[in-house]
Amino acid sequence: MILSRLAGRPVLLAIGLFVALALPWMIYPPIALDIACWALFAAAVDLLLGFTGLLSFGHAAFWGGSAYVTGLVALHSGLPFPVAIVGGTAFAALLALPIGFLSVRLTGIYFAMVTLAFAQMVYFVANQWRDVTGGENGLQGIPRELGGIDLSEPFYFYYAALPFLLAGLFAAWRIVRSPFGRVLVAIRDNPNRARALGYPVDRYRLLVFVLSAALSGTAGGVFAIGHGFASLEGVYWTTSGQAVMMVVLGGIGTLWGGAIGAALVVQVQDHLATAGFEETGMITGAIFILVVLLFRRGIWGTARHLRASRRPAVPSQETSPEPTRPVDTPV
């Protein structure tokens, strides 16, 4: 059983890589890019929610803040877009340091509300600092420069930007599979016991908060370059809420579930907008309620649970029992 699980992980990674490479051939390339960006954003949120037990409604500050910084660097420096994305990622990580330092000592609804308050402050600054951010008009015409290569075609830009998103997803996967990730799960399950064992809980929470913000910033930077603009919508609290919804739909603490939730939400919103529906929020909300009622662990979490429940029990005299794994560790 252990060998089958170890063999299954590379297979899942290979399937995920194949889907990422084939996505622009199957659907409209800008929609494919949106799915990939939101998948990384959802994975970053899941690092906190699923593996650390911290619900953040303030990650729009890192997604949208990085989008603005990436756009400003690309517009005013003339540097290639990868440099602009790295600049946006660095800004998101730096912004997360003071926010996380003041937030990680709290838990539950208090942590969620404090992060939401900081995100709204960033939204207010972006709205009022019109000379830099463009205010309600945002930043328009963000270029996609890369060594003189024309990347105005969304199909080609998808593959140019995909390495950033795959690197971010791989980083999230390595974090949760590392000893550091195991400590995060221990802190989530019982922070007092983790403190008793000598782990600096607040320091671990701050570090994963900054890492999560950096991954969110990478996704936001790619999104801004891909669409050619950065707007106030990116730093509004509903952006954080949408990422949380994707995590819940796919399965909290599964990491891969966020990608499934992102694909579902983005595709539904695109089809509704194409069909001319104005109240897309009502319909996506109804779908969210339906999925939560039918799949209590999320789509990917429920599938994983069903697969685990169908495995035959291994007699203890033939093989040693498998170590207990937290329910939210990724397959």
Side-chain angles (χ1 to χ4, degrees):
M1 182 183 297
I2 297 176
L3 291 177
S4 65
R5 286 191 177 187
L6 292 176
R9 291 181 188 130
V11 172
L12 289 175
L13 290 175
I15 293 174
L17 179 60
F18 173 78
V19 171
L21 292 173
L23 202 57
W25 296 88
M26 298 184 292
I27 60 177
Y28 189 43
I31 302 302
L33 182 65
D34 286 357
I35 292 174
C37 291
W38 281 102
L40 177 56
F41 191 23
V45 172
D46 201 22
L47 280 179
L48 283 180
L49 178 58
F51 295 91
T52 318
L54 298 174
L55 172 60
S56 171
F57 278 118
H59 265 50
F62 312 125
W63 163 283
S66 173
Y68 275 112
V69 171
T70 300
L72 289 170
V73 172
L75 281 170
H76 301 296
S77 69
L79 295 172
F81 81 85
V83 179
I85 293 173
V86 171
T89 301
F91 171 80
L94 291 174
L95 179 63
L97 277 173
I99 296 177
F101 182 79
L102 297 172
S103 304
V104 296
R105 292 171 175 80
L106 305 172
T107 57
I109 191 63
Y110 304 103
F111 177 84
M113 290 298 100
V114 169
T115 54
L116 174 61
F118 279 114
Q120 289 301 98
M121 290 173 59
V122 174
Y123 173 84
F124 177 79
V125 171
N127 188 27
Q128 295 298 317
W129 204 2
R130 294 179 175 85
D131 293 339
V132 176
T133 64
E136 295 180 355
N137 296 323
L139 298 178
Q140 306 290 333
I142 299 176
R144 304 174 184 173
E145 296 294 334
L146 183 61
I149 302 176
D150 183 17
L151 295 174
S152 58
E153 175 61 41
F155 181 84
Y156 298 115
F157 177 76
Y158 176 88
Y159 289 104
L162 186 61
F164 286 94
L165 302 174
L166 291 180
L169 289 170
F170 179 76
W173 181 79
R174 284 300 304 149
I175 289 171
V176 302
R177 300 300 308 173
S178 67
F180 174 77
R182 300 294 185 181
V183 174
L184 294 179
V185 174
I187 292 173
R188 178 203 65 192
D189 293 339
N190 196 328
N192 292 329
R193 184 177 182 183
R195 288 191 182 93
L197 292 173
Y199 292 108
V201 171
D202 291 342
R203 192 181 306 171
Y204 272 85
R205 285 174 173 170
L206 176 60
L207 180 55
V208 73
F209 188 85
V210 173
L211 292 172
S212 176
L215 295 178
S216 302
T218 301
V222 173
F223 187 87
I225 295 290
H227 286 269
F229 69 87
S231 66
L232 288 174
E233 183 180 359
V235 290
Y236 196 52
W237 71 270
T238 53
T239 300
S240 301
Q242 182 160 301
V244 172
M245 181 175 67
M246 292 173 179
V247 172
V248 175
L249 286 175
I252 298 174
T254 61
L255 201 64
W256 304 115
I260 297 175
L264 176 62
V265 172
V266 172
Q267 284 279 66
V268 168
Q269 290 179 344
D270 176 63
H271 287 311
L272 291 176
T274 304
F277 284 97
E278 296 182 357
E279 298 297 332
T280 58
M282 182 181 299
I283 298 177
T284 54
I287 294 174
F288 174 76
I289 294 172
L290 182 63
V291 171
V292 169
L293 290 176
L294 295 177
F295 305 97
R296 301 300 294 272
R297 293 178 173 86
I299 298 174
W300 181 256
T302 300
R304 192 181 65 180
H305 176 73
L306 291 176
R307 186 183 66 173
S309 64
R310 292 177 180 176
R311 290 196 184 105
V314 180
S316 59
Q317 63 269 22
E318 294 181 6
T319 59
S320 59
E322 185 180 355
T324 302
R325 298 175 59 201
V327 295
D328 288 337
T329 50
V331 175

